Amino acid sequence: MSKYRNKKTLLDGKVFDSKREAQRYAELCLMQRGGLIADLRCQVPFELVPAQRDAKGKLVERPVKYLADFVYQDCVTGERVVEDVKSKPTKTQAFIIKRKLMLERHGIRIQEVTG
């Protein structure tokens, strides 16, 4: 059980952080089979802030990354979609900052899927 009380769920040989995330994966797979979306990928990392090094090249700060639950191509609009599944509408401060950095650094608005 995670710190957010989500239960890890196995589906199609993949482990998801919550039942809701696994359910969303199943929905997206159906959409892909129906030709609505393409190139469905899970757990896609995005670098938000690169690693910081001192003058000698020694690592002083690790990079800040955001791990998207799902990334896919919308076949209707042609846009790349980045989704984050939330079992509850509660958002942590870390997520809010990462959401803002995704928009500022990559020009990507994260679509939040709740349920």
Side-chain angles (χ1 to χ4, degrees):
M1 182 105 35
S2 76
K3 63 183 175 180
Y4 301 111
R5 297 198 187 290
N6 292 327
K7 185 177 178 184
K8 298 266 185 196
T9 303
L10 180 68
L11 179 66
D12 289 343
K14 298 178 189 310
V15 177
F16 295 93
D17 289 335
S18 67
K19 288 180 184 179
R20 178 63 188 115
E21 190 175 321
Q23 179 184 28
R24 181 61 180 160
Y25 174 73
E27 293 167 0
L28 290 170
C29 285
L30 285 174
M31 291 171 68
Q32 183 164 252
R33 275 182 249 151
L36 298 173
I37 67 170
D39 192 28
L40 175 60
R41 294 178 290 145
C42 303
Q43 301 298 301
V44 180
F46 290 87
E47 186 172 84
L48 301 175
V49 180
Q52 306 296 306
R53 299 184 179 277
D54 65 15
K56 295 180 182 177
K58 181 182 174 193
L59 182 69
V60 293
E61 292 288 343
R62 294 180 302 168
V64 175
K65 295 183 179 181
Y66 165 68
L67 193 61
D69 292 330
F70 303 108
V71 176
Y72 56 87
Q73 187 83 19
D74 183 321
C75 292
V76 175
T77 65
E79 294 181 24
R80 177 171 65 163
V81 178
V82 175
E83 281 190 2
D84 194 278
V85 177
K86 300 288 184 203
S87 295
K88 297 177 184 175
T90 308
K91 296 175 192 126
T92 65
Q93 279 298 116
F95 174 75
I96 292 169
I97 290 168
K98 287 181 178 186
R99 182 186 68 201
K100 291 177 182 188
L101 282 169
M102 276 290 284
L103 184 57
E104 191 269 331
R105 297 287 167 142
H106 298 286
I108 297 171
R109 286 195 108 125
I110 298 170
Q111 289 190 10
E112 298 169 47
V113 179
T114 57

